[in-house]
Short mmCIF file of all heavy atoms in Angstrom, two decimals:
data_model
loop_
_atom_site.label_atom_id
_atom_site.label_comp_id
_atom_site.label_asym_id
_atom_site.label_seq_id
_atom_site.Cartn_x
_atom_site.Cartn_y
_atom_site.Cartn_z
N GLN A 22 -16.13 4.29 -14.01
CA GLN A 22 -16.71 3.46 -15.05
C GLN A 22 -15.79 2.28 -15.38
O GLN A 22 -16.23 1.14 -15.54
CB GLN A 22 -16.95 4.25 -16.31
CG GLN A 22 -18.05 5.35 -16.13
CD GLN A 22 -18.14 6.31 -17.31
OE1 GLN A 22 -17.16 6.47 -18.10
NE2 GLN A 22 -19.26 6.98 -17.44
N GLY A 23 -14.48 2.57 -15.43
CA GLY A 23 -13.50 1.50 -15.70
C GLY A 23 -13.48 0.45 -14.62
O GLY A 23 -13.46 -0.77 -14.87
N LEU A 24 -13.49 0.89 -13.35
CA LEU A 24 -13.48 -0.04 -12.23
C LEU A 24 -14.72 -0.92 -12.23
O LEU A 24 -14.64 -2.14 -12.07
CB LEU A 24 -13.37 0.71 -10.91
CG LEU A 24 -13.50 -0.12 -9.63
CD1 LEU A 24 -12.51 -1.25 -9.59
CD2 LEU A 24 -13.38 0.80 -8.40
N ALA A 25 -15.88 -0.29 -12.40
CA ALA A 25 -17.12 -1.05 -12.41
C ALA A 25 -17.14 -2.09 -13.51
O ALA A 25 -17.57 -3.23 -13.33
CB ALA A 25 -18.31 -0.10 -12.56
N GLN A 26 -16.65 -1.72 -14.69
CA GLN A 26 -16.64 -2.65 -15.82
C GLN A 26 -15.66 -3.78 -15.57
O GLN A 26 -15.94 -4.95 -15.89
CB GLN A 26 -16.26 -1.89 -17.12
CG GLN A 26 -16.58 -2.66 -18.39
CD GLN A 26 -18.10 -2.85 -18.56
OE1 GLN A 26 -18.87 -1.92 -18.43
NE2 GLN A 26 -18.49 -4.09 -18.83
N THR A 27 -14.50 -3.48 -15.02
CA THR A 27 -13.50 -4.53 -14.72
C THR A 27 -14.07 -5.52 -13.74
O THR A 27 -13.90 -6.76 -13.90
CB THR A 27 -12.22 -3.90 -14.17
OG1 THR A 27 -11.61 -3.05 -15.16
CG2 THR A 27 -11.21 -4.98 -13.77
N LEU A 28 -14.71 -5.05 -12.67
CA LEU A 28 -15.28 -5.96 -11.68
C LEU A 28 -16.34 -6.84 -12.29
O LEU A 28 -16.43 -8.04 -11.97
CB LEU A 28 -15.86 -5.14 -10.50
CG LEU A 28 -14.86 -4.42 -9.61
CD1 LEU A 28 -15.59 -3.55 -8.59
CD2 LEU A 28 -13.92 -5.39 -8.91
N LYS A 29 -17.14 -6.28 -13.18
CA LYS A 29 -18.24 -7.06 -13.78
C LYS A 29 -17.71 -8.07 -14.79
O LYS A 29 -18.12 -9.25 -14.77
CB LYS A 29 -19.24 -6.12 -14.46
CG LYS A 29 -20.48 -6.82 -14.96
CD LYS A 29 -21.53 -5.83 -15.45
CE LYS A 29 -22.81 -6.53 -15.84
NZ LYS A 29 -23.83 -5.54 -16.32
N ASP A 30 -16.80 -7.63 -15.65
CA ASP A 30 -16.29 -8.51 -16.73
C ASP A 30 -15.40 -9.61 -16.17
O ASP A 30 -15.46 -10.77 -16.65
CB ASP A 30 -15.51 -7.69 -17.74
CG ASP A 30 -16.38 -6.76 -18.55
OD1 ASP A 30 -17.62 -6.89 -18.48
OD2 ASP A 30 -15.85 -5.86 -19.23
N ASP A 31 -14.52 -9.30 -15.20
CA ASP A 31 -13.53 -10.27 -14.77
C ASP A 31 -13.97 -11.11 -13.58
O ASP A 31 -13.52 -12.26 -13.41
CB ASP A 31 -12.22 -9.56 -14.39
CG ASP A 31 -11.58 -8.89 -15.61
OD1 ASP A 31 -12.03 -9.15 -16.74
OD2 ASP A 31 -10.62 -8.11 -15.41
N TYR A 32 -14.89 -10.59 -12.75
CA TYR A 32 -15.26 -11.31 -11.53
C TYR A 32 -16.75 -11.44 -11.31
O TYR A 32 -17.18 -11.98 -10.29
CB TYR A 32 -14.61 -10.61 -10.31
CG TYR A 32 -13.12 -10.52 -10.45
CD1 TYR A 32 -12.51 -9.32 -10.81
CD2 TYR A 32 -12.31 -11.64 -10.26
CE1 TYR A 32 -11.13 -9.24 -11.00
CE2 TYR A 32 -10.93 -11.57 -10.43
CZ TYR A 32 -10.35 -10.34 -10.77
OH TYR A 32 -8.99 -10.29 -10.93
N GLY A 33 -17.57 -10.92 -12.26
CA GLY A 33 -19.02 -11.06 -12.14
C GLY A 33 -19.61 -10.22 -11.04
O GLY A 33 -20.73 -10.51 -10.56
N VAL A 34 -18.90 -9.19 -10.62
CA VAL A 34 -19.38 -8.34 -9.50
C VAL A 34 -20.11 -7.13 -10.07
O VAL A 34 -19.53 -6.33 -10.82
CB VAL A 34 -18.22 -7.88 -8.62
CG1 VAL A 34 -18.71 -6.92 -7.52
CG2 VAL A 34 -17.52 -9.08 -7.98
N ASP A 35 -21.38 -7.00 -9.72
CA ASP A 35 -22.18 -5.85 -10.10
C ASP A 35 -22.17 -4.89 -8.92
O ASP A 35 -22.74 -5.19 -7.85
CB ASP A 35 -23.59 -6.28 -10.46
CG ASP A 35 -24.47 -5.12 -10.94
OD1 ASP A 35 -24.07 -3.95 -10.81
OD2 ASP A 35 -25.59 -5.40 -11.41
N VAL A 36 -21.57 -3.72 -9.08
CA VAL A 36 -21.45 -2.77 -7.97
C VAL A 36 -22.82 -2.26 -7.51
O VAL A 36 -22.93 -1.68 -6.43
CB VAL A 36 -20.54 -1.58 -8.34
CG1 VAL A 36 -19.13 -2.04 -8.61
CG2 VAL A 36 -21.10 -0.83 -9.56
#
Side-chain angles (χ1 to χ4, degrees):
Q22 293 171 340
L24 172 56
Q26 197 65 48
T27 296
L28 291 175
K29 187 172 184 179
D30 291 348
D31 295 350
Y32 303 102
V34 176
D35 183 349
V36 297

